[in-house]
């Protein structure tokens, strides 16, 4: 258990002051609440025993001040404890999300390929959020309860050692016994809740995204029935957890009543050697009632530990993976030019019977523009991925400016490379923020100029660069998303340009405009264009035709036409 939670407990050291302050405030709040009820009970009992005859001898002012002081401290302490504890917890969660994302980012794409996107999102958001129970419901209540028990026992021992040890022993036993009981009872429920929550959200995402296909193939009722079944099981487990929480509180109340009765019976026989203790009986009795407030959160807290453990294991499955590609430390010297060479490069995906690339060898001089042409699945995009070090080849070597790619640090490699992928990532933010990803120092005028060049001036008509793009770019069309990717490439000052179907989904006129713009912008840059279309290939220095992971033809447009091979057949079609 400790091994599973250790990576997350270590993160608490960064916010140790606020977390410790929250625990201190919780202890002060509980002690002031105990003090309020204890002094009030003793004061009322003492006043009743003193009667009118004792109005001159009984000190009414000091207990009254104690009652008011305890009430004020309890109210202020409760507020301060909530503010500090939740602020600290939110800071820990923010740190934990960044920590998890930093561990997740180097795993892309190979290490996370086996996870669905909804599953990754669920682990990054819901499972990480569940870990806030670790402090608010486990660490803070348990530490606070133990400290309160020690303080109360010590304070009462000044009046009667045996009664103090009796009350302290009972509470200490419950503080350790109840968590163990309810942890075992709640562990399977918590594990199921975590799994069912993940299943439900994954199925719900699939249901929402696949509405059209489900309706067309008549699978909507069956899919919805499956979703409803998961929801029913999830709600049933939630009901069980709520019942367990009720049982824990009932047990605390029952134990409090028994302890109250026991202390009353023992105190009636005398306190501290005094056979007629008077109002001190009320003091001991009300302490026993109030002190159980410290145990209330402890009993129910550990039923959530199973939930926390399951979420921690799921997050650990991500962060404990080793990246398939690692970069060296330190800064590598970059360059304003880029030449590429690939020597006998072989690459295969896991659990695939055939290699994606087989014996690839080519040389691209600085400033040369080449195209990779072939059918879908021939290995073009895989080759582009290897050039960005998403993976390393199992055999062969790739060099950039005669330096092997593994010798470059990540920052330098990213500075020298710009990629327009098939899927352009648009974030739920403004147009300006989405453009500044490529050039953080670019001015508004530069952003507007490049957007106009790619034909996106229409996006600037209403709110300008402040236009809200929406989650995943839902406010704009697929072609506009593609042109935002091209605009980013124009902004990023890199000598190596990698283009993966940059004009896919564009009409013929816009496609021609974008290709001419790229040709003009990349006059002195090295360009690798992946495509299955022939538009603009006559302007390329060389064309490589790929099939089944191999290069089967290479040459200029005219040379390949004269061969009357695969490229010629593509051109004829």
């Amino acid at each position: 258990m400790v091994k599973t939670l250790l990576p997350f407990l270590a993160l608490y050291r960064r916010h140790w002051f606020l977390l410790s302050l929250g625990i201190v405030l919780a202890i002060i709040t509980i002690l002031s609440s105990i003090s309020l009820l204890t002094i009030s009970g003793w004061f009322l009992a003492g006043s009743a025993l003193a009667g009118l005859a004792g109005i001159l001898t009984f000190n009414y002012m000091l207990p009254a001040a104690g009652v008011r002081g305890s009430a004020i401290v309890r109210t202020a302490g409760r507020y301060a404890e909530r503010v500090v504890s939740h602020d600290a917890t939110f800071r820990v969660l923010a740190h934990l999300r960044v920590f998890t994302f930093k561990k997740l980012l180097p795993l892309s794409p190979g290490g996370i390929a086996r996870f669905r996107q909804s599953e990754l999102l669920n682990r990054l958001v819901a499972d990480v959020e569940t870990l806030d129970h670790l402090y608010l419901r486990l660490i803070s209540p348990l530490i606070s309860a133990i400290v309160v028990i020690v303080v109360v026992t010590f304070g009462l021992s000044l009046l009667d050692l045996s009664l103090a040890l009796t009350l302290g022993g009972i509470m200490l036993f419950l503080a350790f016994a109840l968590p163990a009981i309810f942890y075992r009872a709640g562990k399977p429920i918590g594990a199921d809740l975590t799994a069912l929550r993940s299943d439900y959200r994954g199925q719900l995402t699939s249901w929402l995204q696949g509405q059209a296909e489900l309706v067309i193939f008549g699978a909507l009722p069956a899919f919805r029935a499956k979703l409803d079944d998961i929801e029913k099981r999830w709600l049933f487990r939630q009901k069980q957890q709520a019942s367990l929480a009720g049982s824990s509180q009932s047990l605390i109340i029952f134990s409090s009543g028994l302890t109250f009765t026991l202390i009353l019976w023992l105190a009636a026989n005398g306190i501290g050697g005094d056979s007629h203790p008077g109002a001190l009986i009320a003091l001991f009795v009300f302490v026993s009632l109030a002190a159980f407030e410290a145990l209330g959160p402890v009993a129910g807290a550990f039923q959530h530990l199973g939930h926390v453990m399951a979420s921690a294991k799921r997050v650990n499955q991500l962060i404990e993976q080793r990246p398939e590609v690692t970069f060296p430390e330190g800064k590598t010297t970059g360059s304003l030019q880029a030449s590429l060479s690939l020597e006998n490069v072989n690459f295969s995906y896991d659990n695939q019977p055939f290699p994606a690339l087989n014996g690839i060898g080519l040389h691209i001089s600085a400033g040369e523009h080449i195209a990779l042409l072939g059918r879908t699945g021939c290995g073009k995009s895989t080759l582009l991925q290897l050039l960005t070090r998403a993976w390393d080849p199992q055999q062969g070597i790739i060099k950039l400016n005669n330096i092997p790619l593994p010798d470059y640090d990540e920052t330098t490699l990213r500075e020298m490379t710009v990629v327009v992928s098939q899927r352009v990532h648009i974030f739920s933010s403004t147009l300006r923020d989405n453009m500044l990803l490529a050039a953080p120092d670019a001015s508004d005028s530069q952003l507007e100029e490049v957007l106009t060049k790619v034909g996106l001036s229409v996006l600037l008509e209403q709110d300008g660069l402040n236009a809200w793009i929406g989650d995943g770019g839902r406010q704009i069309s697929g072609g506009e998303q593609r042109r935002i990717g091209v605009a980013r490439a124009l902004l990023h000052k890199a000598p190596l340009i990698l283009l993966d179907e940059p004009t896919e989904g564009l009409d013929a006129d816009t496609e021609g405009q974008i290709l001419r713009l790229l040709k003009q912008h990349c006059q002195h840059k090295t360009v690798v264009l992946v495509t299955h279309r022939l538009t603009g290939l006559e302007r390329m220095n060389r064309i490589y035709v790929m099939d089944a992971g191999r290069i089967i033809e290479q040459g200029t447009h005219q040379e390949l036409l004269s061969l009357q091979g695969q490229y010629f057949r593509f051109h004829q079609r």
Side-chain angles (χ1 to χ4, degrees):
M1 180 177 70
V2 176
K3 184 180 179 181
T4 302
L5 299 177
L6 192 59
F8 310 107
L9 291 172
L11 295 177
Y12 281 68
R13 290 181 298 181
R14 183 170 180 174
H15 306 282
W16 68 269
F17 177 76
L18 284 178
L19 295 173
S20 301
L21 180 60
I23 294 174
V24 170
L25 289 171
I27 293 170
I28 292 174
T29 302
I30 296 172
L31 289 175
S32 61
S33 182
I34 295 172
S35 174
L36 176 62
L37 186 58
T38 301
I39 295 175
S40 299
W42 173 82
F43 184 33
L44 291 174
S47 300
L49 291 174
L52 292 175
I55 194 170
L56 297 177
T57 58
F58 186 76
N59 186 352
Y60 291 92
M61 301 302 295
L62 190 59
V67 170
R68 290 192 180 96
S70 298
I72 293 172
V73 171
R74 184 184 70 165
T75 303
R78 182 82 65 189
Y79 174 78
E81 185 267 332
R82 290 289 187 270
V83 171
V84 172
S85 296
H86 284 78
D87 179 60
T89 302
F90 291 144
R91 290 175 186 271
V92 170
L93 283 179
H95 184 198
L96 181 56
R97 284 200 176 96
V98 173
F99 169 77
T100 305
F101 188 74
K102 284 183 176 179
K103 292 285 188 179
L104 187 65
L105 198 57
L107 300 177
S108 178
I112 60 175
R114 62 188 181 92
F115 297 101
R116 298 172 60 188
Q117 289 186 353
S118 59
E119 176 71 8
L120 286 172
L121 184 63
N122 194 58
R123 296 189 186 212
L124 187 60
V125 178
D127 288 329
V128 169
E129 188 173 345
T130 301
L131 294 173
D132 71 347
H133 294 324
L134 197 59
Y135 171 74
L136 285 178
R137 295 193 177 185
L138 293 172
I139 298 175
S140 180
L142 185 60
I143 294 177
S144 300
I146 293 174
V147 172
V148 167
I149 291 170
V150 171
V151 172
V152 168
T153 302
F154 175 76
L156 293 181
S157 67
L158 301 176
L159 299 175
D160 190 297
L161 182 60
S162 62
L163 283 176
L165 291 177
T166 300
L167 178 60
I170 292 172
M171 293 184 66
L172 204 59
F173 170 76
L174 293 174
F176 286 100
L178 292 181
I181 294 171
F182 285 99
Y183 166 66
R184 291 189 174 276
K187 184 178 179 180
I189 298 176
D192 285 350
L193 281 173
T194 301
L196 289 169
R197 178 182 62 189
S198 176
D199 290 346
Y200 182 81
R201 291 184 175 183
Q203 291 292 330
L204 180 61
T205 302
S206 300
W207 181 64
L208 292 173
Q209 292 178 341
Q211 283 279 321
E213 291 82 359
L214 291 171
V215 170
I216 290 173
F217 291 100
L220 189 61
F223 201 95
R224 180 57 188 267
K226 183 179 179 181
L227 189 64
D228 289 342
D229 178 64
I230 296 174
E231 184 179 18
K232 287 177 183 178
R233 288 188 284 131
W234 189 16
L235 291 173
F236 177 72
R237 278 307 206 183
Q238 288 178 324
K239 181 180 178 181
Q240 285 184 314
Q241 190 177 57
S243 298
L244 198 60
S247 300
S248 68
Q249 295 306 309
S250 298
L251 188 55
I252 286 290
I253 294 172
F254 179 71
S255 301
S256 175
L258 287 180
T259 306
F260 167 83
T261 305
L262 176 63
I263 295 298
L264 178 60
W265 179 66
L266 293 174
N269 291 327
I271 297 175
D274 185 1
S275 58
H276 300 287
L280 288 178
I281 297 177
L283 185 145
F284 270 84
V285 168
F286 280 107
V287 165
S288 67
L289 276 177
F292 270 80
E293 179 185 342
L295 293 180
V298 174
F302 278 76
Q303 72 182 24
H304 297 281
L305 185 56
H307 200 179
V308 172
M309 291 285 293
S311 294
K313 287 178 181 178
R314 285 164 52 83
V315 176
N316 278 333
Q317 287 177 355
L318 290 178
I319 66 177
E320 288 180 353
Q321 292 188 82
R322 298 187 63 182
E324 295 189 14
V325 173
T326 56
F327 291 87
E329 299 291 337
K331 182 74 173 176
T332 312
T333 303
S335 175
L336 297 178
Q337 293 184 328
S339 64
L340 282 171
S341 63
L342 290 82
E343 302 172 8
N344 194 31
V345 171
N346 292 274
F347 178 78
S348 299
Y349 291 104
D350 292 338
N351 303 318
Q352 294 297 318
F354 303 107
L357 297 174
N358 191 357
I360 297 293
L362 57 89
H363 178 77
I364 307 171
S365 301
E368 193 173 13
H369 295 187
I370 68 114
L372 300 174
L373 180 70
R375 298 185 180 92
T376 300
C378 69
K380 308 185 301 296
S381 296
T382 299
L383 181 55
L384 217 63
Q385 293 269 39
L386 294 184
L387 295 180
T388 64
R389 283 207 75 201
W391 289 280
D392 282 334
Q394 284 95 17
Q395 184 179 339
I397 189 169
I398 302 175
K399 293 181 179 180
L400 174 60
N401 292 335
N402 294 319
I403 300 174
L405 282 187
D407 292 345
Y408 280 92
D409 69 283
E410 187 172 13
T411 301
T412 301
L413 186 60
R414 302 295 176 244
E415 287 175 351
M416 294 184 64
T417 310
V418 62
V419 182
V420 179
S421 60
Q422 289 187 19
R423 181 180 179 184
V424 177
H425 292 277
I426 305 295
F427 294 90
S428 182
S429 187
T430 63
L431 181 58
R432 177 187 289 105
D433 291 338
N434 274 279
M435 293 298 297
L436 288 177
L437 291 172
D441 298 328
S443 64
D444 285 358
S445 59
Q446 290 176 310
L447 299 181
E448 291 172 355
E449 180 184 359
V450 75
L451 286 170
T452 302
K453 284 183 178 179
V454 298
L456 291 178
S457 56
V458 65
L459 297 181
L460 301 169
E461 290 178 356
Q462 294 184 351
D463 298 322
L465 292 171
N466 294 319
W468 192 259
I469 303 300
D471 185 20
R474 65 179 59 184
Q475 308 287 354
I476 58 179
S477 68
E480 289 172 330
Q481 291 182 34
R482 183 73 57 153
R483 280 180 280 172
I484 285 179
V486 173
R488 287 174 178 167
L490 299 180
L491 281 172
H492 189 62
K493 307 300 181 182
L496 177 60
I497 313 295
L498 306 177
L499 307 171
D500 194 354
E501 307 282 4
T503 58
E504 184 71 20
L506 302 180
D507 59 80
D509 291 339
T510 305
E511 180 182 22
Q513 176 193 350
I514 295 298
L515 289 176
R516 287 192 298 271
L517 180 62
L518 287 171
K519 181 71 175 178
Q520 178 185 357
H521 175 77
C522 303
Q523 283 183 0
H524 305 292
K525 299 177 184 290
T526 304
V527 177
V528 179
L529 170 67
V530 165
T531 184
H532 63 272
R533 303 164 70 170
L534 303 183
T535 306
L537 295 191
E538 65 277 1
R539 293 191 289 268
M540 291 290 167
N541 298 115
R542 264 184 303 163
I543 302 167
Y544 294 87
V545 182
M546 297 184 65
D547 188 42
R550 295 178 177 272
I551 295 176
I552 58 174
E553 294 178 3
Q554 59 176 299
T556 64
H557 173 70
Q558 292 299 331
E559 289 172 349
L560 291 177
L561 286 179
S562 64
L563 290 176
Q564 296 192 359
Q566 187 72 34
Y567 184 82
F568 177 80
R569 289 190 289 273
F570 280 149
H571 191 270
Q572 291 296 100
R573 287 200 295 267

